[in-house]
């Protein structure tokens, strides 16, 4: 029987744990009014949270919902800052119980992993199959409406395989059930904005990881949140595996794959690219998604207007550019980066000295000097 953990709750409400959780929760958000209000009486706020947790009086706050439109439209729900502090303390206490059991090729929201390493690994799988069997074939799948489809009862049962501490389970249950504030159907769905939702989503699909790796014995399998890929050389084999996986998802986790799920060859002459983790991936090279290129151009146009009006700083522009460059440099984008950045010059606001400040010249030069990804060559 799998090991379960007890006596966890003191690690959640310990004052030092709550203070460390506060530091993590405020990262990048110190300018927000609710964070500043919390900091004005930091010790008092943390002691109040500690007492509420110890005496079982803590209640999850009310969600604030808003839509984000990139890369696709999603409803995000955000809790008050004090609730985010509690969630950081809770996740720090329980995440290690699962982290050591997650498969190596799960790259979603885990320390030391992420989209770049996941893309490298997916390409390595394509290359290995190409070397041994010729043109690789992939099953590319993702879960339909994943976060809104997570079943609370199934999730709670999975959590209880590892956690036996009653106060910790009560806190987790309350946070999971708080999603009923914003869900159309009670007992189903997790808010995208919660830190605990990221861990719970990984716990939920760890069942799929184990089924594919150990049940179906697929060697070349990789997952990032609700997107997953299996690489093989036999299309018929992957079609059979797809049917088994979809049956497992429906029966065990009450999930289904979306309409974009398909099996196809990956190659330049025969097949197409694997669109995964923000890149179009072939065994031989990698490119950015067209949507990523369009998005940075749109962002630079908007920022050029805002900068000329004095509404944003050049430092803010540089942050966005550097973020995109860091993503783009992991693909074959040497020419693309330079051409894109050199196309935009930023004129300073009226109250600054006149003359064009060609931010993009220095930024493009910097981008050209950035080291390429190991597989990259010069080329758009």
């Amino acid at each position: 029987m799998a090991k379960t953990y007890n006596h966890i709750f003191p690690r959640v409400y310990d004052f030092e744990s709550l203070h460390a959780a506060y530091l993590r929760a405020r990262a990048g958000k110190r300018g927000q009014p609710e964070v500043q209000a919390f900091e004005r009486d930091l010790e008092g706020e943390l002691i109040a949270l500690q007492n509420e947790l110890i005496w079982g009086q803590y209640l999850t706050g009310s969600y604030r919902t808003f839509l984000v439109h990139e890369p696709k439209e999603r409803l995000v729900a955000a809790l008050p800052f004090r609730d985010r502090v509690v969630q950081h303390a809770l996740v720090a206490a329980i995440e290690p119980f699962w982290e050591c059991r997650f498969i190596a090729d799960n790259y979603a929201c885990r320390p030391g992993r992420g989209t770049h390493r996941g893309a490298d690994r997916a390409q390595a799988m394509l290359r290995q199959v190409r070397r041994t069997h010729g043109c690789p074939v992939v099953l590319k799948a993702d879960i339909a409406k994943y976060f809104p489809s997570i079943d609370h009862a199934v999730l709670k049962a999975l959590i209880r395989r590892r956690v036996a501490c009653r106060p910790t389970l009560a806190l987790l249950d309350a946070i999971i059930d708080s999603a009923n504030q914003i869900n159309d159907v009670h007992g189903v769905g997790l808010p995208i904005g919660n830190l605990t939702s990221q861990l719970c989503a990984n716990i939920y699909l760890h069942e799929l990881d184990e089924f594919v790796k150990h049940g179906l014995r697929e060697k070349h399998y990789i997952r990032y949140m609700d997107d997953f890929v299996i690489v093989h050389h036999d299309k018929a084999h992957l079609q059979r595996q797809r049917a088994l996986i979809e049956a497992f998802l429906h029966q065990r986790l009450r999930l289904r794959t979306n309409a974009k799920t398909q099996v196809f060859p990956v190659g330049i002459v025969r097949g197409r690219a694997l669109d995964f983790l923000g890149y179009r991936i072939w065994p031989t090279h990698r490119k950015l998604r067209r949507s990523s290129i369009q998005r940075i151009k749109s962002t630079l146009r908007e920022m050029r207007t805002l900068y000329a009006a004095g509404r944003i700083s050049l430092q803010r522009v540089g942050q966005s550019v550097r973020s995109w460059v860091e993503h783009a440099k992991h693909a074959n984008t040497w020419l693309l980066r330079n051409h894109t950045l050199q196309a935009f010059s930023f004129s300073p606001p009226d109250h600054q000295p006149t003359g064009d400040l060609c931010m993009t010249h220095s930024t493009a030069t910097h981008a050209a000097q950035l080291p390429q990804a190991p597989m990259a060559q010069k080329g758009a």
Side-chain angles (χ1 to χ4, degrees):
M1 185 176 178
K3 181 178 179 180
T4 57
Y5 298 84
N6 213 327
H7 309 297
I8 303 165
F9 205 52
R11 304 180 208 171
V12 179
Y13 67 67
D14 177 78
F15 186 86
E16 294 301 322
S17 298
L18 288 172
H19 185 263
Y22 145 75
L23 293 175
R24 293 192 296 273
R26 80 170 188 186
K29 301 178 178 67
R30 295 197 72 177
Q32 294 181 358
E34 64 173 334
V35 177
Q36 294 174 347
F38 192 91
E39 288 182 326
R40 279 196 286 271
D41 183 22
L42 178 58
E43 185 176 1
E45 292 281 2
L46 293 178
I47 290 173
L49 278 178
Q50 184 182 47
N51 286 332
E52 290 173 25
L53 290 168
I54 291 172
W55 298 106
Q57 297 172 340
Y58 169 77
L59 296 175
T60 304
S62 299
Y63 286 93
R64 174 176 58 89
T65 60
F66 54 94
L67 288 174
V68 296
H69 299 278
E70 291 182 3
K72 59 184 179 181
E73 185 173 284
R74 296 181 300 173
L75 179 68
V76 176
L79 284 169
F81 182 72
R82 71 192 311 268
D83 296 283
R84 284 177 261 159
V85 172
V86 171
Q87 291 199 15
H88 271 276
L90 176 60
V91 168
I94 66 173
E95 187 175 38
F97 308 150
W98 282 279
E99 179 58 35
C100 62
R101 290 175 171 81
F102 289 152
I103 66 168
D105 286 322
N106 166 8
Y107 288 86
C109 306
R110 298 179 62 197
R113 286 172 170 79
T115 56
H116 298 147
R117 284 192 61 183
D120 290 342
R121 179 64 174 143
Q123 188 169 43
M125 292 177 178
L126 291 172
R127 287 174 170 172
Q128 186 171 352
V129 172
R130 182 170 177 261
R131 281 196 303 268
T132 56
H133 294 94
C135 181
V137 182
V138 302
L139 165 60
K140 168 68 169 63
D142 58 47
I143 308 300
K145 300 179 179 178
Y146 178 47
F147 278 87
S149 300
I150 293 175
D151 185 279
H152 293 184
V154 174
L155 174 60
K156 291 175 184 178
L158 294 175
I159 290 172
R160 280 159 171 76
R161 289 185 183 178
R162 295 284 176 264
V163 176
C165 175
R166 290 185 179 180
T168 303
L169 287 172
L171 178 59
L172 275 165
D173 289 350
I175 292 172
I176 292 169
D177 292 337
S178 72
N180 293 329
Q181 294 181 32
I182 58 172
N183 292 342
D184 295 331
V185 180
H186 280 206
V188 179
L190 295 179
I192 292 175
N194 278 359
L195 182 67
T196 51
S197 294
Q198 297 176 10
L199 176 59
C200 289
N202 249 343
I203 293 170
Y204 208 77
L205 279 186
H206 177 62
E207 299 301 298
L208 172 66
D209 298 343
E210 296 235 303
F211 174 71
V212 175
K213 292 292 288 186
H214 305 303
L216 301 182
R217 304 182 70 82
E218 286 295 335
K219 181 179 179 182
H220 301 299
Y221 166 81
I222 181 171
R223 180 174 67 82
Y224 184 90
M225 201 50 73
D226 59 332
D227 292 351
F228 62 93
V229 171
I230 302 176
V231 185
H232 203 265
H233 63 277
D234 185 341
K235 186 173 183 179
H237 169 81
L238 288 180
Q239 294 284 20
R240 292 191 295 270
Q241 301 296 65
R242 174 182 176 177
L244 293 172
I245 289 169
E246 289 180 336
F248 173 85
L249 286 169
H250 176 70
Q251 295 166 10
R252 181 72 183 86
L253 300 175
R254 301 176 187 176
L255 300 173
R256 58 183 179 84
T257 58
N258 67 18
K260 295 184 292 185
T261 297
Q262 55 190 304
V263 175
F264 57 90
V266 175
I268 298 175
V269 177
R270 182 168 69 90
R272 64 179 193 267
L274 168 62
D275 190 337
F276 189 53
L277 298 179
Y279 301 98
R280 292 179 292 148
I281 306 172
W282 290 266
T284 52
H285 63 291
R286 191 186 310 171
K287 293 185 178 182
L288 289 186
R289 282 176 174 163
R290 293 182 180 89
S291 60
S292 174
I293 300 169
Q294 294 167 355
R295 194 156 51 243
I296 188 60
K297 289 180 178 179
S298 176
T299 298
L300 287 173
R301 288 190 196 99
E302 181 180 358
M303 285 189 162
R304 181 168 58 186
T305 301
L306 293 173
Y307 178 67
R311 295 171 58 187
I312 60 172
S313 66
L314 194 63
Q315 181 182 11
R316 174 68 184 87
V317 176
Q319 289 172 350
S320 292
V321 171
R322 283 190 294 272
S323 176
W324 180 76
V325 168
E326 284 299 308
H327 174 67
K329 76 177 186 179
H330 288 269
N332 299 74
T333 59
W334 191 86
L335 289 177
L336 171 67
R337 280 180 274 155
N338 284 278
H339 289 166
T340 300
L341 297 176
Q342 288 173 357
F344 293 88
S345 61
F346 284 69
S347 299
D350 293 338
H351 63 273
Q352 291 188 10
T354 58
D356 277 0
L357 175 59
C358 190
M359 180 279 302
T360 54
H361 178 72
S362 60
T363 306
T365 303
H366 173 65
Q369 293 172 345
L370 284 170
Q372 300 288 320
M375 35 59 68
Q377 302 171 0
K378 291 184 180 181

